[in-house]
Amino acid sequence: MKGSWQFELGHEPVVAIGSSESAQYELGSRPQVLRLELPRDHAIHFDDAGRVISVQKDGVSYRRTLDSRLLVSKIMRLPHRVRQHLDPPPDALQFLAKQHAYARDALQILESEGYRPRCEVLRGRLADPARWAGEALTAASRFDLNVLKEDREALRRVYLPIPILPPDHYSSLVLQLTEGCAWNRCTFCNFYKQIRYRERSYQEFSAHFEEVLEYLGPSLSRYHRIFLGQANALMVDNRRLLPKLQAVTERIPLLDPSMGTATRAEFKASHKNWFEGFYSFIDGFHPRKSEREFVQLAEAGVRRVYLGLESGNDEILKLLGKPPTSEAAIELVKCLHGASIRVGIIVLVGAGGRIHFKRHLTSTLSTLERMALRAGDQLYLSKLVLHDEEPYASRAEAEGLGALSESEQDQQLADFREGIQSRLKEKVPIAPYDIHLTRTQLPLGPS
């Protein structure tokens, strides 16, 4: 048999099996990933525990979240490359069960009497590719519909809801050090309305950490960043926060960013599980830690924090239910930079409506310029989503602010991009932040 598919970058074709033209499978390997390719533009990724990570079929990408939901999208290439988000299948578990059934079909062929003529080792560095294929397919085969339901319930026992994550942490390992939001008074946000804020004790956090490790099992080795939730975990006093971070690094070794290329490669090769740092949300209006305290956090592994600036105009911040803290946000960023902690700044496109269109734009650009964002920082532009039940919507209507249309939001977003690039001395990535993709979603990992 001859392999007939072009594997994605990073995947190495290993084994081809099949009994007919319509029942052929090619298995590819990447660290912690099994890629199962079928005829007619259909590929499935599984992790070491056997869970589906993602599916590509007929040009559509299905990305599974930890709670067994699906993020569905398709790349549209005209007039320019754009990712279009699609509605998920009506029954995500049924869809996932079908993908696992393909793994069972391949395993049955592989294990059938006289399978050797049907199994061709393509290439690869694995000592025994056929054995690897059997073990990987066995792990993926155990997830039928009933097991998928049990897996989803097990996940719900481990985690509270994960309402929102920064886009670059959809594939991070989430550890919930706090519950709810300590502020929880923003007039446009309903992520934490039903969750009372509290800090988990050392014992509670340790138990949660153990449950997460047990749930992930062998798939833990695919996670190399840790996001601390639910909301602003870094407002916890360092005297209680640092021991909790240490409890994690005692179990999962922390990569030292000062390592050279060779040392870093040796570290990764010698540790099955490792992570590069902690990440978390932060706000600019609770009592701020001192630079020395932030230095302590940097030494403990905190690499980047995410600040919802929303607007650089204090009047608009009041409309959004936030204290007038543009100056405080500037000082916070300077303090974080002084401690060698990078920042991710989130700006709310459409805040203040048509009435404050220019004021929001110019004030926010000025604030971002004064923050002196640098290489390693990140800027997110998130379109304002109005909720009728939230105070901002009713206040905006009463004051005649005029909600921006989709095209007006696109124009303001473009204005922000152009203005930011002309004002910052160092190149900082600018990316969209679509909250529709983050609500109660926890992706299992990158495809």
Side-chain angles (χ1 to χ4, degrees), residues 42-59:
H42 187 178
I44 313 166
H45 297 99
F46 303 88
D47 68 12
D48 276 356
R51 298 183 181 97
V52 168
I53 304 168
S54 64
V55 178
Q56 280 93 48
K57 192 173 190 302
D58 300 326

Side-chain angles (χ1 to χ4, degrees), residues 209 220 223-226 245-256 259 267-268 270-278 300-301 303:
F209 182 37
L220 174 66
Y223 296 86
H224 300 304
R225 297 195 297 176
I226 294 177
L245 302 186
Q246 184 179 1
V248 176
T249 56
E250 287 175 352
R251 295 289 301 276
I252 310 176
L254 175 66
L255 181 69
D256 186 343
M259 289 179 177
F267 175 90
K268 292 179 179 180
S270 60
H271 294 87
K272 182 177 181 180
N273 300 318
W274 55 271
F275 77 106
E276 65 180 39
F278 296 103
R303 301 291 179 244

Side-chain angles (χ1 to χ4, degrees), residues 111-131:
E111 292 183 336
S112 62
E113 185 176 355
Y115 82 94
R116 286 290 176 183
R118 305 190 188 114
C119 177
E120 176 189 358
V121 175
L122 300 175
R123 61 180 182 270
R125 296 184 296 273
L126 295 173
D128 189 341
R131 179 180 176 181

Side-chain angles (χ1 to χ4, degrees), residues 4-5 21-24 37-43 56-59 102:
S4 57
W5 292 277
E21 186 65 29
S22 61
Q24 292 184 2
E37 291 214 4
L38 295 83
R40 296 183 295 277
D41 188 25
H42 187 178
Q56 280 93 48
K57 192 173 190 302
D58 300 326
Y102 288 113

